[in-house]
Amino acid sequence: MEHYMSQVGLDEVLPRAAWPDLTIVRYAPGATICTQGDAAHALRFLVNGKIRVSHTSAAGKRLVLSFKQPLDLIGDIEYVQRTPYLNTVEAVTTVEMLVISFEALARHATEDVIWLNYLLTEITRKFEMKSQSMSFNLFYPVEVRLASYLLSMTPETTTLGSTVDELTDIADLIGTSYRHVNRTLKRFVEQGLIERDRRSITVVDRNRLIDVAGESIYE
């Protein structure tokens, strides 16, 4: 635990009195770490692996906000505001997190200036990123959004699912229709960027797919 804290710099901002209350939790790829609307009770520090953050609007539209790698905080806004989780967070790869309860933080860190400054910086950054993600990303063409999504979802393996339900899920997450995703995937196959069957999509030319994405719009 102290190795992770030193590696990501947490040992410099989290009060030492709070360290005994930290635990390490591991999540398998695809696992849900927290669900939008659920009661929040702990702050999580992403110290290993990759996660996907998505948000469902009042109209029921679900969009990818970002993909995150260490160090990132889950539950910081909820801790300050004492609200339910604002977003849904899922593991893309095997994920390890350091977890501490809100109660323990309230006991040990409420008046620590270094910790509060760190928390304020992280929350400010997140609000800026959320605003950009929910509007600016939708201005990109679907092929750019889809290419970026495929790249972000395959950091360790080249394959992800391609069933109707999974493609519908991808379409919702990048803000387009199932048919548009299907057409774009067909073009990617024709261009030799991916291979596809009824069960899976396999990235076969990652460099050219990166060229299509131009830049990662989700990371």
Side-chain angles (χ1 to χ4, degrees), residues 33 45-54 64-77 87-97 122-123 125-130 133 152-153 155 216 218-219:
I33 296 167
F45 302 91
L46 174 64
V47 294
N48 186 38
K50 186 174 191 177
I51 59 175
R52 181 179 74 183
V53 183
S54 61
V64 172
L65 296 182
S66 59
F67 288 83
K68 300 291 186 65
Q69 300 186 68
L71 172 68
D72 199 74
L73 277 64
I74 302 299
D76 45 359
I77 297 172
N87 303 310
T88 295
V89 179
E90 299 155 292
V92 175
T93 65
T94 298
V95 163
E96 289 179 304
M97 290 186 157
E122 287 298 306
I123 290 173
R125 180 179 60 84
K126 281 192 174 180
F127 274 121
E128 291 175 352
M129 289 184 64
K130 181 178 180 181
S133 297
S152 293
M153 286 295 291
S216 178
Y218 296 122
E219 300 191 39

Side-chain angles (χ1 to χ4, degrees), residues 1-58:
M1 188 180 298
E2 289 190 14
H3 166 72
Y4 273 139
M5 292 182 68
S6 175
Q7 188 177 53
V8 299
L10 267 182
D11 57 338
E12 298 180 359
V13 295
L14 187 66
R16 183 170 286 274
W19 292 15
D21 291 291
L22 286 166
T23 58
I24 297 179
V25 180
R26 179 179 284 109
Y27 300 89
T32 299
I33 296 167
C34 62
T35 301
Q36 180 179 335
D38 284 357
H41 55 81
L43 182 63
R44 293 173 168 85
F45 302 91
L46 174 64
V47 294
N48 186 38
K50 186 174 191 177
I51 59 175
R52 181 179 74 183
V53 183
S54 61
H55 182 82
T56 302
S57 70

Side-chain angles (χ1 to χ4, degrees), residues 73-164:
L73 277 64
I74 302 299
D76 45 359
I77 297 172
E78 292 83 352
Y79 168 66
V80 172
Q81 297 185 332
R82 289 300 194 271
T83 60
Y85 285 114
L86 299 176
N87 303 310
T88 295
V89 179
E90 299 155 292
V92 175
T93 65
T94 298
V95 163
E96 289 179 304
M97 290 186 157
L98 298 182
V99 181
I100 186 169
S101 70
F102 289 170
E103 180 185 1
L105 277 176
R107 285 201 313 270
H108 301 302
T110 301
E111 297 181 1
D112 188 281
V113 175
I114 293 176
W115 166 250
L116 293 177
N117 282 337
Y118 172 74
L119 202 58
L120 177 61
T121 299
E122 287 298 306
I123 290 173
T124 301
R125 180 179 60 84
K126 281 192 174 180
F127 274 121
E128 291 175 352
M129 289 184 64
K130 181 178 180 181
S131 177
Q132 293 174 356
S133 297
M134 295 189 72
S135 55
F136 182 65
N137 288 346
L138 293 182
F139 292 120
Y140 284 94
V142 169
E143 57 265 26
V144 173
R145 280 180 267 158
L146 183 56
S148 187
Y149 181 85
L150 294 177
L151 290 166
S152 293
M153 286 295 291
T154 55
E156 295 181 345
T157 177
T158 59
T159 302
L160 68 162
S162 181
T163 65
V164 172

